[in-house]
């Protein structure tokens, strides 16, 4: 964009001398702008259309920058230059169009004459651009030009544009010209819209006439007029208009007398708008209309009535007004009202939850979840435990009710009553995420009833902290609480001090019965760390078969590579059972493959140790895959011998190629030697093809 | 298709009211199993929500199959200004329903060039408006006034004044309007907003979001208008330009989205998603920022906008870990992206459940599903017109500041630009005749 010195021109200088100097400077600067515009004109009309863009942006930059705040002199001068060029027939049309488009957002009084001239011109594109520019022009002269153009008439689309522009400008004097356009099918909608925006008495009268005759858009135009009244603060006019639309639009069969009995019924959308507008215009007297809409037989108006009440009285006021009406409303109206009732109307909502209509029940329960307090708990509790269609919703609401006494009330319910009730209350405590409930939950978890115990364990899994670890360990050791182990796992996994948690468990493992030991060892695996690993490893050599089995299975599921040494001890022991050996080898293969951050030497050592002990081809295949995951020459050496093993050569070939293909570029020689070995082994056509592909790579 | 003519005309017991009550009754009653449950259930043919799809281009290609797969929806009409698009969509619709019903030659989907033909049909309950931005308001307004519910793509509007009109019209007509800012229906974004709204990261002072950049718009030479394309209607209310394929193509990397005439470029494209989430997180769904600063203002490397409490949102500032939005508070941070990605500092915040007294935000797990559900229940959807308008306002004001290359001060209560009369002219755009609102 061109840099212009006047952009920083100080327009409010007090000094006369400075002012004169500035004006002289400005005059020179504007001459510079005109020259820039002249220079841009050929580029704006460049033969190669793509080349016009840069010039367009430069001109746009000049115009928009000139129209910044506190630069009125500059804006007017630039607009004047653009207006003059836009009407100059010697300027190519694409350049003129672009200039008029700048005037759309920057032109004012200085541009009106030029735009008016274009409005009467022959060039359709320039004409249309000028109309839009005049529509946005703040000078009153623009309105006169548009009105005059409409008076002259023209093709229908042209007149539609002019009507739209005059409507946007709210030109009262155009009413007489626009009103007849309501009678034409082509222009009726636009005329109705424009007259609605103009919203004078005459415009409204014309719209009423059209409405009675069923002209499309007339009703919408009346609503627009009402909204304009509201926006302009003409509340009395808005009230009268909206009220008339609402009543007139009612069906003839309505029990309310209508002032214009012959009028066609308005759509429910128009009546809704009128009802809301009426309430906004005069809240004091809106009550009657709101009540009659809610008590009437038009469900489409119920929602509007509730919105009208909110608009008129605010949310608390609407709730206070509508709540007492609930009992006498239809189910559909009740549902609408329920959505707006607040905590002060809780009693009414509770009553609605016992409504014969299932939709009302459902809406009431949902609302209680949003605004309910301790007062709602008995009802929600009863619904949540009755096994009905709303039980789930009531349980969800129990998790949300808030305010003084709610937690205490639900805690009390968790400790007393029948099993089902207690279970629901315990579940609610969990959903409410109240950690203070944990001690009580631990107590319930140890109870003999399986449902209560299961629910309490599940709740502890959600809420339990380090404080409940000891208690949960004791429950696991007692062996009478099936859900305790899972809860212990989840709570332990959340702990910030894993070592301390592991120590607590390790301290209890020595006295644990073999059957209860397994879950504790699983938790140790989850916690990890050297102490936990040592403790579990020590049990792997236990003489009790159940203990040994639990420890080896735990080690086989150990989450990190640190278990590989203990696993190697197991696989190297000739007395290890076949099952345990297989589990340990599988675990080593898994850990080698997944421990990419471990040094390659350690991974290879583990895999080689396992391979030595592996008796079956199944495990050897797994270990070949493990070797393939270690990008190292020794892994290649470990795989190669198996290329000639009839039972394993296919897996060895696949492993060798996987390794060769994954080796970094620096190991190209190794990759090629592996591929060569695979090719020579003649494992299979497919694998040989892969080897060839690698060997043929440059 | 629809046997509720009487109801539609009298409004004594509207079709939608019937839909709502029948759906609930279906849930409450155990029906005999002699006939298929769908005959009497919420998805029985007479109970389905009948739909017209408008704008069958790129974006509709994700919505269309979803609607065809929903048993509670029946697509009765498709509409596009490109004959090949609408005929393809009609064939796809009829093929899908034919396969579903086990009949080879299903006929029951009409294809229109003009959206007015869809909207004037009394047997259509709802429309999806998945057109370029410059058509959103015009079609949605006409639909709502005709008693239709509307799903409209984001950003909801082309101009701020259109948004105010749409929001007011939705309120006054009671239409269920859902704006397609579907990140509101993703768990991670909701959770991120709940973390911010409940003050778990303290007072949020800085937000980074990455929207990306489109290529610059171009001045394009004219090409012959393809057979079957109603190009004048494609342009609609926007200024006339000669046809060029690049101008109208749907393209996530640009296409029509590059041009200011049809939107607010990236501000309106990704901004309608990420600015929307920021508005939600800050509790600004009925308000907005107070100042918009273009890139380069006082040497700023990035475009930004500022809320009244000083919270500043930076567009295209690098976001940690290449996430989509980063909220920085005085006690922690939230990073959130699509694909359920949520990271927090402190780390435990992302898993911290809400307590009963905490702010619970509207929960929706499926954006289109939420709209359909709300059509039945007549409850407000997760992203209604007022929210869509306020978000689009943020998008458009960023665009205006960018185009004018100067700061814009905004009064979100009065919805007025402060102290810049020329900038205020951008609050709406004059429309090309005969396309008028």
């Amino acid at each position: 964009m061109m840099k212009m010195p006047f952009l920083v021109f100080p327009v409010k200088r007090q000094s006369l001398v400075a002012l004169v100097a500035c004006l002289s400077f400005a005059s020179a600067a504007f001459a510079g702008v005109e020259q820039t515009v002249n220079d841009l004109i050929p580029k704006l009309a460049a033969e190669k259309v793509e080349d016009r863009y840069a010039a367009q942006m430069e001109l746009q930059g000049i115009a928009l920058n000139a129209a910044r705040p506190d630069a009125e002199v500059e804006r007017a001068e630039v607009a004047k230059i653009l207006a003059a060029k836009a009407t100059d027939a010697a300027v190519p049309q694409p350049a003129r169009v672009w200039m008029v488009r700048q005037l759309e957002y920057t032109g004012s009084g200085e541009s009106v004459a030029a735009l008016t001239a274009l409005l009467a011109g022959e060039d359709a594109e320039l004409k249309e651009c000028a109309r839009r520019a005049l529509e946005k022009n703040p000078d009153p002269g623009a309105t006169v030009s548009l009105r005059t153009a409409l008076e002259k008439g023209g093709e229908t689309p042209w007149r539609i544009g002019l009507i739209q522009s005059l409507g946007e400008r709210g030109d009262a004097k155009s009413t007489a010209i626009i009103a007849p356009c309501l009678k034409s099918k082509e222009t009726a909608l636009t005329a109705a819209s424009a007259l609605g925006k103009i919203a004078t008495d005459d415009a409204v009268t014309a719209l009423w006439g059209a409405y009675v005759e069923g002209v499309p858009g007339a009703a919408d135009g009346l609503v627009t007029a009402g909204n304009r009244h509201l926006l302009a603060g003409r509340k009395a006019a808005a009230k009268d208009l909206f009220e008339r639309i609402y009543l007139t639009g009612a069906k003839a069969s309505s029990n309310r007398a209508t002032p214009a009995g012959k009028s066609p019924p308005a759509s429910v959308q128009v009546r809704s708008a009128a009802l809301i507008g009426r309430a906004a215009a005069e809240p004091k007297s809106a009550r009657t209309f709101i009540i009659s809409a809610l008590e009437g037989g038009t469900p489409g108006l119920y929602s509007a009535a509730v919105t009208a009440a909110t608009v008129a009285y605010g949310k608390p006021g609407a709730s206070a007004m509508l709540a007492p009406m609930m009992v006498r409303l239809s189910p559909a109206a009740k549902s609408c009202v329920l959505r707006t009732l607040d905590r002060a109307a809780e009693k009414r909502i509770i009553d609605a939850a016992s409504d014969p209509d299932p939709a009302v029940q459902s809406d009431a329960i949902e609302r209680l979840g949003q605004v309910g307090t301790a007062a709602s708990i008995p009802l929600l509790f009863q619904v949540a435990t009755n096994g009905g269609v709303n039980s789930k919703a009531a349980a969800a609401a129990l998790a949300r009710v808030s305010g003084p006494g709610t937690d205490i009330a639900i805690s009390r319910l968790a400790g007393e009553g029948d099993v089902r009730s207690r279970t629901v209350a315990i579940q609610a405590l969990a959903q409410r995420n109240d950690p203070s409930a944990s001690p009580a939950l631990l107590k319930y978890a140890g109870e003999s009833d399986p449902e209560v115990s299961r629910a309490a364990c599940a709740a502890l899994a959600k809420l339990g902290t380090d404080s409940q670890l000891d208690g949960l360990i004791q429950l696991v050791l007692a062996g009478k609480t099936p859900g305790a182990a899972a809860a212990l796992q989840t709570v332990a996994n959340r702990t910030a001090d894993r070592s301390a948690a592991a120590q607590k468990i390790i301290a209890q493992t020595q006295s644990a019965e073999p059957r209860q030991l397994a879950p504790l060892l699983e938790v140790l695996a989850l916690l990890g760390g050297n102490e936990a690993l040592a403790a579990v490893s020590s049990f792997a050599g236990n003489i009790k078969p159940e203990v040994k089995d639990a420890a080896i299975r735990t080690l086989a599921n150990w989450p990190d590579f640190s278990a590989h040494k203990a696993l190697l001890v197991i696989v190297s022991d000739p007395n290890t059972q076949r099952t345990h050996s297989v589990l340990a080898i599988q675990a080593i293969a898994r850990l080698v493959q997944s421990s990419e951050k471990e040094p390659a030497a350690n991974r290879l050592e583990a895999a080689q140790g396992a391979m030595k002990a592996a008796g079956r081809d199944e495990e050897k295949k797994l270990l070949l895959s493990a070797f393939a995951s270690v990008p190292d020459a020794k892994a290649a050496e470990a795989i190669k011998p198996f290329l000639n093993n009839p039972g394993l050569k296919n897996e060895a070939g696949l492993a060798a190629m996987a390794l060769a293909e994954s080796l970094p570029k620096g190991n190209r020689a190794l990759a090629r030697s592996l591929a060569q070995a695979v090719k020579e082994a003649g494992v299979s056509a497919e694998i040989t093809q892969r080897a060839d592909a690698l060997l043929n790579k440059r | 298709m629809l046997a509720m003519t009487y109801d539609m005309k009298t409004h004594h017991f509207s079709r939608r009211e019937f839909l709502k009550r029948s759906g609930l009754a279906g849930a409450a009653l155990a029906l005999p199993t002699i006939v298929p449950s769908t005959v009497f259930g919420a998805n029985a043919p007479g109970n389905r929500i009948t739909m017209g799809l408008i704008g069958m281009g790129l974006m509709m290609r994700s919505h269309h199959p979803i609607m065809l797969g929903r048993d509670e929806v029946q697509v009765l009409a498709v509409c596009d200004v490109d004959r090949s698009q609408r005929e393809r969509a009609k064939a796809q619709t009829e093929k899908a329903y034919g396969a579903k019903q086990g009949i080879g030659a299903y006929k029951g989907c009409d294809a229109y060039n003009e959206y007015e033909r869809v909207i004037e049909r009394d047997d259509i309950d709802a429309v999806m408006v998945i057109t370029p931005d410059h058509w959103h308001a015009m079609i949605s307004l006409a639909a709502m006034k005709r008693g239709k519910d509307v799903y409209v793509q984001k950003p909801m509007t082309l101009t701020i004044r259109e948004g105010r009109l749409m929001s007011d019209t939705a309120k006054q007509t009671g239409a269920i309007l859902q704006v397609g800012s579907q990140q509101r229906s993703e768990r991670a974004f909701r959770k991120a907003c709940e973390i911010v709204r409940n003050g778990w990261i303290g007072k949020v002072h800085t937000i980074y979001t990455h929207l990306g950049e489109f290529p610059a718009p171009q001045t394009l030479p004219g090409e012959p208008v393809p057979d079957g394309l109603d190009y004048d209607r494609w342009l609609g209310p926007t200024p006339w330009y000669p046809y060029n394929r690049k101008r109208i193509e749907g393209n996530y990397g640009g296409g029509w989205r590059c041009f200011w005439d049809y939107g607010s470029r990236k501000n309106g494209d990704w901004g309608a998603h990420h600015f929307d989430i920021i508005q939600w997180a800050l509790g600004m769904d009925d308000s907005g920022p107070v100042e918009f600063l273009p890139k380069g203002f006082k040497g700023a490397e990035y475009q930004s906008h500022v809320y009244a409490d000083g919270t500043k949102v930076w567009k295209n500032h690098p976001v940690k870990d290449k996430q989509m939005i980063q909220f920085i508070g005085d006690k922690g941070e939230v990073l959130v992206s699509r694909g359920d990605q949520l990271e927090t500092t402190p780390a435990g915040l992302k898993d911290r459940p809400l307590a009963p007294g905490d702010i619970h935000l509207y929960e929706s797990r499926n954006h289109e599903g939420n709209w359909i559900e709300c059509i039945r229940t007549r409850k407000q959807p997760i992203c209604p017109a007022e929210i869509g308008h306020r978000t689009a306002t943020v998008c458009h004001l960023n665009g205006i500041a960018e185009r004018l290359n100067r700061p814009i001060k905004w009064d979100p209560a009065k919805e007025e630009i402060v102290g810049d009369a020329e900038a205020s002219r951008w609050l709406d755009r004059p429309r090309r005749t005969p396309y008028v609102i």
Side-chain angles (χ1 to χ4, degrees):
Chain A
M1 192 189 301
M2 186 189 73
K3 293 272 181 203
M4 286 174 291
F6 59 78
L7 299 187
V8 289
F9 195 81
V11 290
K12 291 181 179 174
R13 299 288 289 265
Q14 302 298 316
S15 157
L16 183 61
V17 175
L19 185 61
V20 171
C22 287
L23 288 171
S24 315
F25 183 53
S27 173
F30 294 133
V33 176
E34 184 163 10
Q35 187 53 53
T36 304
V37 173
N38 285 337
D39 293 345
L40 286 173
I41 286 171
K43 297 174 189 169
L44 288 167
E47 195 172 340
K48 191 178 174 196
V49 175
E50 292 91 331
D51 291 346
R52 296 174 187 170
Y53 181 71
Q56 288 181 344
M57 290 304 101
E58 187 171 345
L59 186 72
Q60 180 177 287
I62 292 168
L64 295 180
N65 186 58
R68 69 192 182 280
D70 300 326
E72 175 54 20
V73 173
E74 188 182 320
R75 186 209 58 74
E77 287 298 330
V78 172
K80 206 182 292 178
I81 292 166
L82 295 179
K85 306 289 175 195
T87 45
D88 184 348
V91 174
Q93 193 262 11
R96 295 170 71 191
V97 167
W98 192 251
M99 287 171 189
V100 178
R101 290 198 58 192
Q102 306 320 304
L103 291 173
E104 192 173 302
Y105 292 99
T106 62
S108 186
E110 75 292 320
S111 318
V112 171
L115 293 170
T116 305
L118 293 173
L119 215 53
E122 294 296 316
D123 186 308
E125 190 180 3
L126 272 171
K127 261 177 90 163
E128 171 62 8
C129 286
R131 177 191 66 80
R132 293 202 304 268
L134 284 167
E135 181 180 314
K136 298 286 275 187
N137 193 302
D139 190 84
T143 310
V144 178
S145 298
L146 290 163
R147 196 190 310 135
T148 307
L150 182 59
E151 280 168 342
K152 285 180 186 166
E155 299 286 325
T156 302
W158 176 240
R159 286 190 294 122
I160 285 174
L162 291 167
I163 294 167
Q164 158 84 357
S165 294
L166 288 162
E168 285 295 319
R169 296 178 72 86
D171 180 35
K173 289 182 181 170
S174 295
T175 304
I177 319 165
I178 295 173
C181 301
L182 288 166
K183 296 187 186 304
S184 155
K185 196 180 166 191
E186 288 80 12
T187 52
L189 272 173
T190 314
S193 167
L195 290 170
K197 288 169 188 165
I198 291 168
T200 57
D201 288 348
D202 287 346
V204 170
T205 302
L207 284 168
W208 272 118
Y211 171 70
V212 170
E213 288 169 21
V215 171
D220 290 333
L222 286 167
V223 171
T224 303
N227 287 333
R228 289 284 161 138
H229 286 328
L230 275 180
L231 208 60
R234 300 189 294 266
K235 293 198 170 179
K239 173 195 158 257
D240 290 346
L241 180 52
F242 280 128
E243 189 170 315
R244 191 174 166 196
I245 298 168
Y246 182 71
L247 297 176
T248 306
K251 292 189 309 99
S253 60
S254 163
N255 57 9
R256 183 176 290 281
T258 58
K262 287 181 183 174
S263 302
S267 71
V268 76
Q269 290 75 38
V270 166
R271 294 196 70 214
S272 291
L275 180 58
I276 295 165
R278 170 66 181 78
E282 196 186 82
K284 202 176 157 189
S285 57
R287 189 184 167 87
T288 317
F289 291 90
I290 293 166
I291 291 172
S292 94
L294 280 169
E295 291 179 343
T298 310
L301 286 177
Y302 299 160
S303 172
V306 171
T307 305
T310 310
V311 163
Y313 312 117
K315 283 183 181 174
S319 177
M321 179 211 157
L322 297 172
M325 293 181 61
M326 284 274 290
V327 284
R328 57 178 195 265
L329 296 179
S330 69
K334 281 180 186 167
S335 284
C336 284
V337 168
L338 274 168
R339 282 168 217 156
T340 205
L341 297 189
D342 61 17
R343 187 164 279 187
E346 188 177 9
K347 172 76 174 63
R348 304 281 184 181
I349 309 173
I350 291 170
D351 292 345
S354 304
D355 194 276
D357 188 281
V360 175
Q361 289 172 20
S362 166
D363 288 335
I365 287 163
E366 186 183 331
R367 193 64 186 153
L368 287 175
Q370 292 157 353
V371 303
T373 68
S376 299
I377 290 175
L379 176 274
L380 290 173
F381 201 68
Q382 185 261 320
V383 178
T385 53
N386 71 8
V389 287
N390 288 319
S391 288
K392 255 179 128 175
L398 273 174
R400 289 282 303 275
V401 289
S402 59
T406 45
D407 286 329
I408 293 169
I410 294 173
S411 295
R412 193 183 306 127
L413 290 165
E416 62 191 29
D418 61 39
V419 169
R420 176 138 185 81
S421 303
R422 293 187 62 200
T423 306
V424 167
I426 289 168
Q427 286 164 344
L429 287 175
Q431 291 301 316
R432 294 172 67 80
N433 191 37
D434 176 13
S436 70
S438 296
L441 289 171
L442 191 60
K443 194 175 137 218
Y444 306 148
E447 288 189 17
S448 57
D449 185 274
E451 270 192 61
V452 170
S453 172
R454 197 180 306 120
C457 285
L460 279 169
K462 191 150 188 254
L463 303 179
T465 64
D466 288 2
S467 306
Q468 281 75 53
L469 279 175
D470 284 326
L472 284 167
I473 292 168
Q474 292 308 319
L475 287 175
V476 172
L477 289 172
K480 293 176 183 170
T481 308
L488 175 61
Q489 278 199 12
T490 313
V491 175
N493 202 30
R494 264 203 304 268
T495 183
D497 189 346
R498 301 179 89 78
S499 173
Q503 281 172 16
K504 280 184 182 178
I505 294 170
I506 291 166
Q508 300 295 333
T509 51
Q510 301 305 325
S511 57
E513 288 294 318
R515 205 156 52 89
Q516 272 71 55
L517 186 64
L520 294 180
L521 297 184
E522 281 174 27
V523 179
L524 287 176
L526 200 70
L527 290 166
N530 291 337
E531 290 161 304
L533 181 60
V536 177
S537 300
S538 72
F539 285 110
N542 198 290
I543 51 167
K544 291 181 185 167
E546 307 101 294
V547 173
K548 187 184 180 92
D549 182 71
I552 291 175
R553 286 179 188 278
T554 303
L555 286 170
N557 287 320
W558 205 263
D560 62 51
F561 194 70
S562 63
H564 79 282
K565 285 188 177 162
L567 290 163
L568 275 175
V569 169
I570 294 164
V571 299
S572 309
D573 183 347
N575 297 321
T576 300
Q577 283 177 23
R578 165 72 65 85
T579 310
H580 288 157
S581 179
V582 166
L583 282 170
I585 291 170
Q586 288 174 345
I588 289 169
R590 172 179 60 81
L591 292 173
V592 168
Q593 277 188 296
S594 62
S595 306
E596 289 170 2
K597 289 182 182 168
E598 284 295 320
N602 294 353
R603 295 166 71 194
L604 288 171
E605 185 192 341
Q608 279 162 340
M611 187 64 96
K612 270 186 204 164
R616 303 190 312 167
D617 283 355
E618 285 84 346
E619 281 69 59
K620 288 177 182 170
K621 287 175 186 175
L622 284 176
L623 289 163
L624 282 167
S625 291
F627 279 124
S629 71
V630 187
D632 190 279
K634 284 185 180 166
E637 291 311 311
I639 294 169
K640 275 182 185 172
F642 292 97
L643 288 169
N644 298 316
N645 181 325
L648 294 168
K649 69 178 190 179
N650 198 53
E651 281 70 24
L654 287 169
M657 285 315 303
L659 178 59
E661 287 160 356
S662 66
L663 283 168
K665 281 185 179 171
N667 285 4
R668 202 164 176 76
L670 176 60
R672 289 181 66 84
S673 96
L674 255 180
Q676 190 60 42
V678 169
K679 190 178 175 182
E680 284 166 11
V683 177
S684 73
E686 193 185 336
I687 296 173
T688 303
Q689 204 175 355
R690 278 174 69 180
D692 281 336
L694 191 142
L695 289 167
N696 291 335
K697 261 191 189 169
R698 285 181 181 274
Chain B
M1 179 60 226
L2 182 63
M4 299 298 294
T5 319
Y6 171 79
D7 303 326
M8 291 301 291
K9 284 184 177 165
T10 62
H11 304 294
H12 255 166
F13 193 60
S14 76
R15 173 177 161 73
R16 250 177 244 114
E17 183 58 23
F18 178 82
L19 291 175
K20 179 190 171 187
R21 323 272 333 151
S22 63
L24 285 158
L29 298 172
L31 292 162
T33 52
I34 299 166
V35 292
S37 61
T38 51
V39 171
F40 293 114
N43 302 332
N47 297 350
R48 287 182 195 149
I49 293 163
T50 51
M51 202 165 289
L53 308 182
I54 301 171
M56 304 308 301
L58 182 69
M59 293 306 298
M60 187 65 99
R61 290 189 188 186
S62 57
H63 295 295
H64 187 195
I66 290 171
M67 287 302 146
L68 293 180
R70 285 188 166 273
D71 289 340
E72 72 273 42
V73 168
Q74 182 86 17
V75 175
L76 292 187
V78 294
C79 171
D80 199 283
V81 295
D82 183 338
R83 189 175 60 214
S84 63
Q85 294 276 39
R86 64 177 179 265
E87 291 301 335
R88 175 191 53 75
K90 172 184 160 75
Q92 188 182 345
T93 305
E94 292 184 336
K95 186 180 172 190
Y97 286 145
K100 205 183 239 186
Q101 296 176 16
I103 53 172
Y106 172 88
K107 296 286 173 201
C109 177
D110 294 310
Y112 301 116
N113 182 60
E114 297 88 7
Y115 74 88
E116 295 93 328
R117 300 282 306 282
V118 179
I119 285 169
E120 72 194 13
R121 280 179 59 164
D122 282 340
D123 60 345
I124 288 181
D125 297 322
V127 294
M128 294 190 92
V129 183
I130 316 295
T131 61
D133 304 358
H134 58 278
W135 268 111
H136 289 175
M138 197 171 284
I139 299 173
S140 301
L141 284 165
M144 286 191 284
K145 287 177 181 175
R146 187 77 189 190
K148 316 290 184 208
D149 296 316
V150 176
Y151 184 106
V152 58
Q153 254 302 343
K154 45 54 61 173
M156 189 177 85
T157 53
L158 184 68
T159 75
I160 293 169
R161 289 288 175 257
E162 285 179 352
R164 174 45 51 221
L165 197 55
M166 275 181 72
S167 179
D168 289 349
T169 302
K171 184 177 173 181
Q172 291 190 327
T173 59
I176 301 299
L177 184 143
Q178 175 89 300
V179 182
S181 294
Q182 83 277 5
Q183 286 179 180
R184 288 204 179 219
S185 294
E186 289 189 28
R187 187 208 69 93
F189 286 106
R190 186 187 69 253
K191 185 69 184 177
C193 292
E194 285 174 336
I195 290 169
V196 173
R197 283 282 279 275
N198 283 299
W200 296 353
I201 59 167
K203 161 80 179 75
V204 171
H205 50 80
T206 306
I207 300 164
Y208 299 137
T209 184
H210 189 79
L211 308 186
E213 293 286 3
F214 280 132
Q218 300 174 66
T219 307
L220 298 166
E223 293 174 349
V225 178
D227 184 40
L229 173 68
D230 187 344
Y231 177 59
D232 194 82
R233 262 199 177 248
W234 188 94
L235 287 173
T238 67
W240 186 86
Y241 286 98
Y243 169 79
N244 185 293
R245 185 183 54 81
K246 287 182 187 169
R247 176 174 298 282
I248 73 159
E249 71 184 356
N251 177 345
Y252 292 120
W256 60 261
R257 289 180 175 83
C258 290
F259 296 88
W260 287 107
D261 296 284
Y262 318 122
S264 290
R265 290 174 45 86
K266 279 289 182 186
N267 298 295
D269 186 29
W270 276 98
H273 286 306
H274 296 346
F275 294 156
D276 181 61
I277 293 300
I278 292 165
Q279 286 270 105
W280 199 20
L282 299 180
M284 286 285 138
D285 276 342
D286 57 354
S287 183
V290 295
E291 191 169 20
F292 296 80
L293 304 159
K295 183 178 169 180
F297 177 68
K298 291 188 177 172
E301 203 175 339
Y302 304 102
Q303 175 186 307
S304 62
H305 56 263
V306 187
Y307 287 87
D309 67 353
T311 305
K312 197 162 192 175
V313 181
W314 293 93
K315 169 192 160 184
N316 284 348
H317 186 289
V319 183
K320 197 169 162 187
D321 299 334
K322 294 190 175 175
Q323 296 258 21
M324 289 176 164
I325 309 173
Q326 179 178 8
F327 296 93
I328 306 173
D330 54 22
K331 290 182 187 167
E333 286 188 13
V334 179
L335 289 154
V336 64
S337 292
R338 287 188 180 181
D340 207 33
Q341 292 187 60
L342 178 66
E343 295 300 331
T344 55
T345 309
L349 292 182
K350 69 179 174 192
D351 300 317
R352 179 172 155 185
L354 295 170
D358 287 335
I359 294 171
H360 288 63
L361 294 178
Y362 192 135
E363 183 174 348
S364 152
R365 293 175 187 180
N366 182 300
H367 212 58
E368 288 120 331
N370 171 253
W371 177 56
I372 300 288
E373 178 64 20
C374 290
I375 290 175
R376 282 193 190 282
T377 63
R378 308 313 293 168
K379 291 176 185 169
Q380 279 294 294
I382 189 164
C383 194
E386 180 65 18
I387 289 176
H389 162 54
R390 293 293 185 163
T391 293
T393 297
V394 179
C395 301
H396 298 325
L397 287 169
N398 268 302
I400 292 168
E402 185 182 334
R403 292 184 82 176
L404 299 185
N405 194 29
R406 61 177 181 257
I408 297 293
K409 288 193 187 298
W410 176 248
D411 181 338
K414 292 180 182 168
E415 297 192 63
E416 288 173 357
I417 288 174
V418 180
D420 190 337
E422 270 63 40
S424 298
R425 294 203 208 179
W426 293 81
L427 295 178
D428 202 8
R429 307 187 193 189
R431 291 164 187 85
R432 189 169 67 95
T433 188
Y435 302 95
V436 297
I437 287 184

